Amino acid sequence: SVFKADDQVYFITDRKGVDELYKLTGKKKEAMKNVMILGGSKVGFKAARDLCGKKFNVKLIEKNKEKAFDLADILPNALVINGDGRNVELLEEESLESMDAFIAVTGNSETNIMSCLVAKSKHIKKTIALVENMDYFQLSQSIGIDTLINKKLLAANNIFRYVRKGEVVALTRLNNLNAEILEFEVKQESRMNGQVIRDLDFPRNAIIGGVIRNGLGMIALGDFEIAAGDRVVVCCLPQAIQKIERLFL
């Protein structure tokens, strides 16, 4: 493959390779410390709680006054602000431009998208918006928002795990791409057990990205032998899924 300008490329690497990838792609690794969350929904609350637990500096903006006071009581390590996040002046007063990430999870998709666009205009490194309309996923890259989240899609991914053949333990779709990442657990009786990757009749529109063995992630090249208990991460196009599933039966 030949890379071209504006291509969107996904890499799989171990932790040791991350710095080298940044050099290769000309990207700069920047620390994330200050996060602003718009919306005190269940998603917003859990995000704030988890980020505070990891020592991030969190500001949470909630429109409902009573709810804002409740959130302030249960999130002592976050700064909870009662205000309308659609108000650009409010965001600026709360030092939006000093944030490393902006997460919009109100109950209104359009509000989430527009506020993320405001954040992007202030050169915020990472923007995340919760949306209900799946049509917005096709626009995510063109409108400049880094990540879109859809609760129905997340639920569907979990459901699909149980209707897939083979021992699928995780599944996700790449944002704005017609591709899926599947994680299979290799059972003792699986035809994959004991197979060397180069000898597999693997579809051309699929690739094994890595293997997790005994909790350790490894990059799996052609001479790698798959064993029972391995969790194999596969990136593939939809038309290859059935053939891959049969390999893991």
Side-chain angles (χ1 to χ4, degrees):
S1 298
V2 178
F3 294 126
K4 297 182 179 180
D6 299 322
D7 279 355
Q8 194 174 346
V9 183
Y10 289 82
F11 293 94
I12 294 179
T13 181
D14 57 21
R15 290 185 178 180
K16 295 178 182 177
V18 173
D19 290 337
E20 191 64 31
L21 274 178
Y22 273 100
K23 293 178 184 177
L24 182 66
T25 56
K27 299 290 185 180
K28 183 180 178 182
K29 190 175 182 180
E30 299 183 72
M32 294 281 179
K33 192 64 180 176
N34 302 311
V35 181
M36 182 177 286
I37 300 174
L38 178 60
S41 61
K42 288 182 179 179
V43 177
F45 161 69
K46 290 180 180 179
R49 181 192 62 190
D50 292 349
L51 288 169
C52 286
K54 294 181 179 179
K55 308 303 181 183
F56 282 82
N57 300 321
V58 177
K59 284 187 178 182
L60 191 155
I61 300 176
E62 168 54 43
K63 185 178 180 181
N64 183 284
K65 187 174 183 179
E66 184 177 343
K67 192 172 186 179
F69 276 106
D70 290 340
L71 288 167
D73 288 337
I74 57 179
L75 292 170
N77 295 320
L79 176 59
V80 180
I81 299 150
N82 175 223
D84 190 342
R86 295 172 297 182
N87 186 335
V88 177
E89 289 184 2
L90 171 66
L91 297 178
E92 291 175 343
E93 287 174 4
E94 296 302 330
S95 304
L96 173 63
E97 68 281 355
S98 68
M99 295 294 121
D100 299 311
F102 183 86
I103 304 171
V105 287
T106 73
N108 186 289
S109 298
E110 287 73 22
T111 295
N112 295 339
I113 289 173
M114 293 306 297
S115 58
C116 278
L117 292 178
V118 171
K120 268 299 179 185
S121 73
K122 302 296 182 182
H123 308 292
I124 305 303
K125 301 168 191 171
K126 183 75 174 179
T127 53
I128 301 171
L130 177 67
V131 297
E132 294 297 327
N133 191 335
M134 291 295 295
D135 293 337
Y136 288 132
F137 272 76
Q138 303 301 320
L139 299 172
S140 62
Q141 296 301 317
S142 60
I143 62 180
I145 297 175
D146 296 307
T147 304
L148 295 182
I149 302 170
N150 179 274
K151 290 184 286 187
K152 293 177 183 177
L153 180 60
L154 293 174
N157 282 345
N158 281 322
I159 293 170
F160 288 154
R161 284 174 48 197
Y162 298 103
V163 299
R164 296 285 194 202
K165 297 176 182 177
E167 291 292 329
V168 179
V169 293
L171 178 152
T172 189
R173 293 196 68 182
L174 295 176
N175 190 28
N176 206 29
L177 292 177
N178 186 30
E180 294 190 12
I181 294 179
L182 302 169
E183 184 180 324
F184 292 90
E185 183 176 354
V186 180
K187 296 297 185 182
Q188 189 70 41
E189 64 276 12
S190 170
R191 66 185 69 180
M192 291 288 285
N193 185 16
Q195 293 289 323
V196 176
I197 288 179
R198 70 161 64 93
D199 297 332
L200 293 172
D201 182 22
F202 219 69
R204 290 185 60 83
N205 43 14
I207 187 170
I208 293 178
V211 174
I212 302 169
R213 178 174 291 172
N214 299 323
L216 179 65
M218 295 176 282
I219 303 300
L221 302 178
D223 58 352
F224 188 92
E225 183 177 323
I226 295 171
D230 286 349
R231 295 162 75 105
V232 181
V233 180
V234 179
C235 180
C236 65
L237 297 179
Q239 57 266 35
I241 291 176
Q242 288 188 352
K243 186 171 183 178
I244 293 168
E245 287 174 337
R246 288 195 293 269
L247 287 171
F248 284 90
L249 289 176

